[in-house]
Structures are given as structure tokens and as C-alpha cells.
Amino acid sequence: MMRRIRLLLQESAWFVPFLYGAAGIVLTLITQVFGSYFRELLPEFIYLDLDSAASVLSSTFTSLMTMMTFSFSTILVVLTTYSSQFSPRTVNNFLTNAAAKHTLGLFIMTTVYGISNLFLVRTADEGVVLSSGISVMLVIGSIWAFVKFIQTISESIQAERLLSTLHKEALSVISNQKEAIEEERVKLVLKRSVHSFEGTAVRAPRTGYVRLFMSEKQEEHDVDFESVVAVGDFVAKGDLLGYWKGDEALDIELFQIGEVRSSIQDPSFAIEKLSEVALRGISPGINDPNTAIHAIHYIGDILRELCELPDGDFLHSNGKSDWHVKRKSLDTILFESLSPMKTYASSDVFVMGAVFEAIRMARIKAHSSLHSTFEDIISYFDDMIEWEKFHEKEQQYLKNKMSDAKKMVT
């Protein structure tokens, strides 16, 4: 349940503004019911007569609508920029930006408060009301938030900022996984290449991406479970997700499946978004290889953290049952994130050099069991690069980078 709430807070663009809107209604009720009780405590100038209050509320509402119109227009421009220059998958990174959500939320709160009090101002029992003073303060706060929002927008459209955000997103997920392993809330076990498929099958109730595995539902259950899909995999309705081992099967939903992938338990999704930004940078329409190189370097640093863990699957155990959850292998992550660079940038010596640099960074603290995986991916690039197309100096540059990636770093 907590992971679902976290997923809602992190990836929902409407939830925080909705809370602000609800707060605007609550503040309206407090102002209308208890406004007269604060009159002796608050300065007299905050209270206005009914006509003046209606005029102030109307003016603040009009000015706020102007700011909201400008803000929404700016958001549409930024979303277009994200989708066309970076990647469609990165649009959600802007929509879920905390500053953007709180700014829009404050706008909505002020609007709801102003329009509701404008409707109720004539019903005041006394000749003066408090709502106009509070509305002015909310508008002042909205102006400050608007300035902050403009700063957020100007930073968001910078490629370096987006790459840094995706980098931190992936490192946070990996850090949480390492912490869970250190605290023995989950164990890493050897991958199972062959599944027995014995027991009661669990099939996907809908088509979509596997977003979460809800291990908290294990509680005191004593039935083992083994998955055949990893978080981040795409499944069709009716696909096999796993099976309950034994005669008894629990009637609980272990996987959350949705239309959009989530990186909360899937660091490879953030790596994939970085890879897509890099591919967009080396496309003929964008032609920004430096952004691609920057993104590839970030991929290398994420892999450096990820490769401190050996390949293996997650095992959740409560002493009565074991729930075995499949985890993406390093070979899959390396191939899916780096091999597209060979396809679209095989003639760019510096982009290919950045790929070998990323592999070198990934090996800095890599687990000893992963060295053969790195050798395989280096051998793959060595075979696929058309060396005869490069000048002798370019060949030497790339071979030096490849040699650095081959060195065993301890």
C-alpha cells in the first residue's frame, strides 16, 4: 500500500494540485465560519466592507487567471520540447516536477478560494469580511510561486538538468535496493534459467508494463511464489507472471500493471530514458552529439553503482514462505542501453568512445562475477564496428578507449 501511495505521489501530475484545491475549500469554510472570531486578534485593515471585498476578490481572481493562462501555455511549450528534443518518455519527469506541481496547486488553491468567497461574500452577517485580506496574501504567494515556476521552466529545458535528474532517479532506486539487501529485507539469489512451472499459474489480468512487485503482501503467508517476469517487462493479458508453488494458491495481486513504466523498482527504466535522450541527440534532426556523450557518461555512472551487486534475482522471505522475483540481468541492461549507439552512431568516433568509457566506469567496482559479461559486450562492439571506415588516428583513439574498458579494475 505504501508503495502504491508513493507511486501516486511521485508520478501523478494531478494529485498534489487536487490537495491544494481541497485546501482552498477548507480555507473558505474556516474563513466564513470563524472569520468574526479573529477580528480582535487581527489588524483592522485586513477586514473590508462587502463592496470593497467583492471588488478585491474579483480583481485578484482576474489577475490570477492571467498568470494561470500564461503558465499553462508555457507548460505546453515545454512538453513539446521534451517530446521532440529529448524523448517522449521524459515528459513525465517534467509533469511530476515538485516545483511545477506545487506552483499549479497554489494557483488552483487561490482560484478556488477567491471564486468561492466571491460567491459567498454577500451572505456575510457582518458588514465586513476577512476573505479579501487572505485572498490578497494568497495572490502575493502565487506571484512568488510564479517567479519560481519561471525559474523551474528555464532549468527544465536544459539537457544537462534533465540528464542529472534521470541520473539521480536511477541512483536513488539502486540505493534503496542495496539498503534492503544490507538490512536483510531481501536477498540476492542465483538466477533460475529453468523454471519447473509446477503449481498454480498467475496470469496478467491486463496488458501493460509490470510497474511494481508488492512484496509487503507476503506478511505471514506460508505459500511460496516464483515469478517469471521482472519489474519493467511488458506483458499481455493472460501472460504468465509466475506461479504459486504447491497445492494452495493465495488470492492476492502481487504485480501492479499499468500503461506506463515506473522506475521506483526498475533502475533500468531511467537508464533506458538516458539512452533515448542520447539517441535523439545523435539523430540527424537534432545533431547534438555532446548531449549524447553526456548521457552515455551518466549511464556508465549508474552502471557503476548497479554493478556492485552480482547478477541474481530477489528473494523475499518471512520465515514461512519464499517469494522469488526475477531481476533483469546486467547483460540485458548493457545490450538494451548501449547497443543502439552502434546502430545510429557507428561512424561517430567520439560517441563510440563514450560507450567504451561508460563500460570502463561500470567496471570500477563491479562484482567479480560480472567480468565475463563486460568482456562479451566489448567483444560485441569490437566485432560490429567497421574499423576500415575510420582513419588510422580514429582507429587508435577507439582502440585506446576499448583497451581501457578491457582492463580489470580492482
Side-chain angles (χ1 to χ4, degrees):
M1 179 60 68
M2 291 302 298
R3 286 178 178 172
R4 287 192 174 190
I5 295 175
R6 181 185 170 193
L7 184 65
L8 179 65
L9 291 175
Q10 282 190 357
E11 302 194 353
S12 173
W14 61 266
F15 187 70
V16 171
F18 170 79
L19 293 180
Y20 272 92
I25 296 175
V26 172
L27 186 58
T28 297
L29 296 176
I30 293 175
T31 303
Q32 293 294 325
V33 175
F34 300 104
S36 59
Y37 294 100
F38 299 120
R39 190 167 183 181
E40 295 181 358
L41 302 175
L42 298 175
E44 190 66 26
F45 66 85
I46 294 182
Y47 289 83
L48 297 179
D49 60 81
L50 299 183
D51 291 335
S52 299
S55 177
V56 170
L57 289 171
S58 177
S59 300
T60 55
F61 175 73
T62 303
S63 62
L64 191 64
M65 289 301 295
T66 303
M67 284 194 295
M68 287 184 65
T69 302
F70 181 82
S71 299
F72 282 114
S73 300
T74 305
I75 287 175
L76 292 177
V77 173
V78 173
L79 293 182
T80 303
T81 302
Y82 265 62
S83 181
S84 61
Q85 293 192 8
F86 301 139
S87 167
R89 291 173 182 253
T90 62
V91 168
N92 201 48
N93 285 83
F94 174 75
L95 290 177
T96 57
N97 182 280
K101 289 192 291 186
H102 288 293
T103 300
L104 294 179
L106 187 56
F107 284 172
I108 292 173
M109 177 181 178
T110 307
T111 302
V112 170
Y113 181 81
I115 196 68
S116 58
N117 277 282
L118 186 60
F119 176 75
L120 298 172
V121 68
R122 300 295 180 181
T123 64
D125 296 331
E126 300 183 11
V128 294
V129 292
L130 175 62
S131 57
S132 58
I134 295 179
S135 181
V136 169
M137 289 188 288
L138 287 176
V139 170
I140 294 174
S142 298
I143 294 173
W144 174 84
F146 179 73
V147 175
K148 179 66 176 177
F149 178 71
I150 296 299
Q151 180 187 1
T152 301
I153 291 291
S154 63
E155 294 178 351
S156 297
I157 60 177
Q158 299 175 18
E160 292 79 5
R161 296 283 184 175
L162 175 61
L163 298 178
S164 178
T165 299
L166 295 174
H167 175 244
K168 292 175 182 177
E169 179 183 319
L171 292 185
S172 175
V173 179
I174 297 171
S175 176
N176 291 337
Q177 292 180 348
K178 288 181 177 179
E179 182 179 340
I181 293 172
E182 290 175 358
E183 295 177 357
E184 297 185 348
R185 289 184 278 117
V186 64
K187 297 178 182 177
L188 270 180
V189 296
L190 294 176
K191 284 187 172 294
R192 302 188 184 184
S193 56
V194 179
H195 298 276
S196 61
F197 296 102
E198 296 177 354
T200 304
V202 177
R203 299 193 177 275
R206 65 189 68 87
T207 298
Y209 289 97
V210 178
R211 292 158 60 85
L212 291 176
F213 177 77
M214 290 169 282
S215 59
E216 64 272 10
K217 291 187 177 182
Q218 188 172 20
E219 298 175 341
E220 297 298 320
H221 295 303
D222 57 358
V223 183
D224 294 340
F225 175 81
E226 183 167 346
S227 73
V228 297
V229 297
V231 175
D233 287 347
F234 184 85
V235 295
K237 183 177 180 180
D239 266 347
L240 180 66
L241 300 178
Y243 49 93
W244 296 106
K245 302 176 70 175
D247 298 330
E248 183 182 356
L250 301 179
D251 187 20
I252 56 177
E253 188 174 345
L254 295 182
F255 296 93
Q256 185 184 73
I257 299 175
E259 297 177 352
V260 182
R261 287 177 67 179
S262 169
S263 61
I264 288 182
Q265 295 180 347
D266 183 19
S268 64
F269 183 42
I271 296 175
E272 185 175 314
K273 287 191 281 188
L274 282 167
S275 179
E276 289 183 355
V277 173
L279 290 175
R280 190 62 62 93
I282 58 181
S283 66
I286 305 298
N287 193 23
D288 184 13
N290 287 328
T291 295
I293 292 171
H294 198 176
I296 294 170
H297 285 163
Y298 271 132
I299 291 175
D301 190 63
I302 295 171
L303 292 173
R304 175 186 58 80
E305 288 288 330
L306 186 63
C307 292
E308 291 184 12
L309 299 174
D311 259 346
D313 295 334
F314 290 127
L315 181 68
H316 300 269
S317 179
N318 62 0
K320 298 180 179 180
S321 63
D322 294 331
W323 287 6
H324 187 280
V325 186
K326 188 177 178 181
R327 177 170 166 255
K328 280 192 175 183
S329 66
L330 175 64
D331 180 66
T332 300
I333 295 174
L334 282 173
F335 187 76
E336 291 180 347
S337 60
L338 297 180
S339 65
M341 308 304 165
K342 177 270 306 178
T343 303
Y344 299 101
S346 58
S347 59
D348 192 316
V349 64
F350 298 108
V351 173
M352 294 308 300
V355 170
F356 289 123
E357 183 71 11
I359 297 174
R360 184 198 64 80
M361 286 190 286
R363 302 188 73 174
I364 291 177
K365 294 183 178 180
H367 194 271
S368 57
S369 62
L370 301 176
H371 290 314
S372 61
T373 303
F374 286 115
E375 294 299 324
D376 289 343
I377 195 69
I378 293 172
S379 177
Y380 165 77
F381 280 110
D382 189 12
D383 293 339
M384 297 304 296
I385 292 176
E386 298 179 4
W387 294 98
E388 66 276 4
K389 288 186 177 182
F390 291 107
H391 186 272
E392 182 179 350
K393 195 171 186 63
E394 293 174 333
Q395 290 183 17
Q396 187 62 40
Y397 174 83
L398 268 184
K399 288 180 179 179
N400 287 338
K401 290 291 185 180
M402 187 170 64
S403 176
D404 290 340
K406 284 182 176 181
K407 292 178 180 178
M408 306 293 288
V409 181
T410 57

